[in-house]
Amino acid sequence: MDMEARGRSEHPEALRLWLRMLTLTQLIEKQVRTQLREQFGTTLPRFDLMAQLERKPDGLKMNELSRRMMVTGGNVTGITDQLAGEGLVERVEVEGDRRAYRVRLTPAGRALFGEMARQHEICIVAAFDSLSPAQAQTLHQLLGKVKQHYHRDTLPESE
Amino acid sequence: MDMEARGRSEHPEALRLWLRMLTLTQLIEKQVRTQLREQFGTTLPRFDLMAQLERKPDGLKMNELSRRMMVTGGNVTGITDQLAGEGLVERVEVEGDRRAYRVRLTPAGRALFGEMARQHEICIVAAFDSLSPAQAQTLHQLLGKVKQHYHRDTLPESE
DNA sequence: TATTGTTATACTCTATAACTATA
DNA sequence: TATAGTTATAGAGTATAACAATA
């Protein structure tokens, strides 16, 4: 192992940091995808879409979903079609704009997402098990600092 | 924005941490992919493979590449075929085992990788620009702790 | 004209499994 | 039998661009 092998002492700290973060993220992500596939027959983008909707009872418009999921619109249509076909989400009309829909979880979708989220949480908690609460908080803050700076440079607007 | 929207106060710290790390990684990764595509007409897996070889003058066997890149063997064959077709890597025989090859960078591949790595480094350094050296080191250490623990649970062997 | 969402398409990346050739 | 690597295939995931309907 290790993709991280790429980062060597001759490289600046930032590069070693990035390679470690990338490797770790891929490792955890791979496990999450496996869990979603094996336990629920679903995929990470589908889970992501449902997660976006979970705390928005009124749903989200397609372009909002697209922006939040960081993928282009056509893909959101495809995933939404799948989930709608399984009765997990539904499209509802937006009054005042007949072009747009809002997508929201159905009761069945909400129930299934609750189960998935519970398993997912167990998996993630285990992954970060080695950190003390204080360390976890520090990590969270440092990542937040990087992300905020990054957004400022590349994605001016935010919610 | 934000995929991180998934993480709410009712969720444990680990989940918020994970979502923040995932979002940030995807953000940076997307920029890296764009840079590799636009400036060099290449992809992240191709860059990764070359990066693995860069510090191994004798090259690596296919199964070692597969393990390090965390993908299955067939994919390594495909990427190696592409790079070999462009004269960037070459397969050399392993004496004592006529089944195996070692893949290594050609001089042209080494030169090109050097250029790519230089641009890549600029991009990554900029991404983590907001951290002080001490903060970067802390982040590196915390990620290392999580990763080590993770490896112990899931991937016993290491290099 | 601009925007919302859909459709069609193509390409990269990936895993799986069957295959060959050596060991 | 087991291992190194290849081939073939299928599916996920993505971006692009052309399109329809509405604003």
Side-chain angles (χ1 to χ4, degrees):
Chain A
M1 237 290 162
D2 227 312
M3 292 190 42
E4 216 178 292
R6 279 179 284 160
R8 296 300 279 173
S9 51
E10 75 268 17
H11 293 158
E13 179 69 12
L15 205 44
R16 295 171 56 222
L17 188 49
W18 164 240
L19 295 171
R20 181 167 286 185
M21 186 167 86
L22 178 59
T23 304
L24 178 58
T25 300
Q26 288 177 339
L27 224 44
I28 298 176
E29 197 176 330
K30 194 162 288 205
Q31 186 164 316
V32 168
R33 285 181 195 274
T34 299
Q35 186 187 44
L36 287 172
R37 189 179 62 247
E38 292 181 352
Q39 293 186 17
F40 299 100
T42 195
T43 65
L44 192 49
R46 288 170 50 127
F47 179 77
D48 279 349
L49 192 150
M50 293 178 76
Q52 294 295 343
L53 298 183
E54 192 248 355
R55 65 195 195 82
K56 299 279 184 182
D58 295 339
L60 286 166
K61 291 204 305 176
M62 297 301 274
N63 59 9
E64 288 172 333
L65 273 171
S66 169
R67 187 169 50 84
R68 285 161 191 263
M69 295 174 69
M70 299 194 278
V71 298
T72 51
N75 302 306
V76 177
T77 296
I79 298 172
T80 301
D81 285 348
Q82 289 176 26
L83 294 173
E86 296 171 26
L88 301 172
V89 306
E90 58 190 352
R91 289 174 166 94
V92 295
E93 293 177 3
V94 171
E95 50 179 320
D97 189 342
R98 286 193 307 177
R99 295 172 305 179
Y101 293 99
R102 265 203 306 264
V103 185
R104 68 179 179 200
L105 289 177
T106 63
R110 190 169 296 275
L112 177 60
F113 180 75
E115 256 190 83
M116 295 195 297
R118 202 167 54 81
Q119 292 300 314
H120 181 250
E121 186 178 308
I122 291 171
C123 174
I124 295 305
V125 167
F128 290 95
D129 204 24
S130 61
L131 298 185
S132 70
Q135 286 175 326
Q137 195 186 354
T138 300
L139 183 51
H140 190 256
Q141 284 170 350
L142 290 173
L143 292 173
K145 190 169 185 184
V146 176
K147 192 179 154 211
Q148 197 174 356
H149 181 262
Y150 208 78
H151 274 167
R152 185 161 55 68
D153 288 355
T154 57
L155 301 166
E157 99 293 357
S158 194
E159 192 181 20
Chain B
M1 237 289 161
D2 226 312
M3 293 192 42
E4 214 179 292
R6 281 179 284 160
R8 297 298 279 173
S9 52
E10 75 271 15
H11 293 158
E13 180 67 15
L15 204 45
R16 294 170 56 221
L17 188 48
W18 164 241
L19 294 171
R20 181 166 286 185
M21 185 167 87
L22 179 59
T23 304
L24 178 59
T25 301
Q26 288 176 338
L27 224 44
I28 298 175
E29 197 177 329
K30 193 161 288 205
Q31 186 163 318
V32 168
R33 286 182 196 273
T34 299
Q35 186 187 44
L36 288 172
R37 188 180 62 247
E38 290 181 354
Q39 294 186 16
F40 299 100
T42 194
T43 64
L44 191 50
R46 287 170 52 127
F47 179 77
D48 279 349
L49 193 150
M50 294 178 75
Q52 294 295 343
L53 299 181
E54 192 249 355
R55 64 196 198 83
K56 299 279 183 180
D58 296 338
L60 286 167
K61 292 204 303 177
M62 296 301 274
N63 58 9
E64 288 172 331
L65 273 172
S66 169
R67 188 170 49 85
R68 284 162 191 264
M69 295 176 69
M70 300 194 280
V71 298
T72 52
N75 302 305
V76 178
T77 296
I79 297 171
T80 301
D81 286 348
Q82 289 176 28
L83 294 173
E86 296 170 26
L88 301 172
V89 307
E90 59 190 353
R91 289 174 165 94
V92 296
E93 294 178 2
V94 171
E95 49 180 320
D97 189 344
R98 288 194 304 175
R99 295 171 305 179
Y101 295 99
R102 263 203 307 263
V103 184
R104 68 178 179 202
L105 287 177
T106 63
R110 190 169 298 278
L112 177 59
F113 180 77
E115 257 189 84
M116 294 195 296
R118 201 167 56 79
Q119 291 302 314
H120 180 249
E121 185 176 309
I122 291 170
C123 174
I124 296 304
V125 168
F128 289 95
D129 203 25
S130 61
L131 298 186
S132 71
Q135 286 174 326
Q137 196 185 354
T138 300
L139 183 51
H140 190 258
Q141 284 170 348
L142 289 174
L143 293 173
K145 190 169 183 186
V146 176
K147 190 177 156 213
Q148 198 174 354
H149 180 262
Y150 208 78
H151 274 165
R152 183 160 56 68
D153 288 355
T154 57
L155 301 166
E157 99 292 357
S158 192
E159 192 181 19

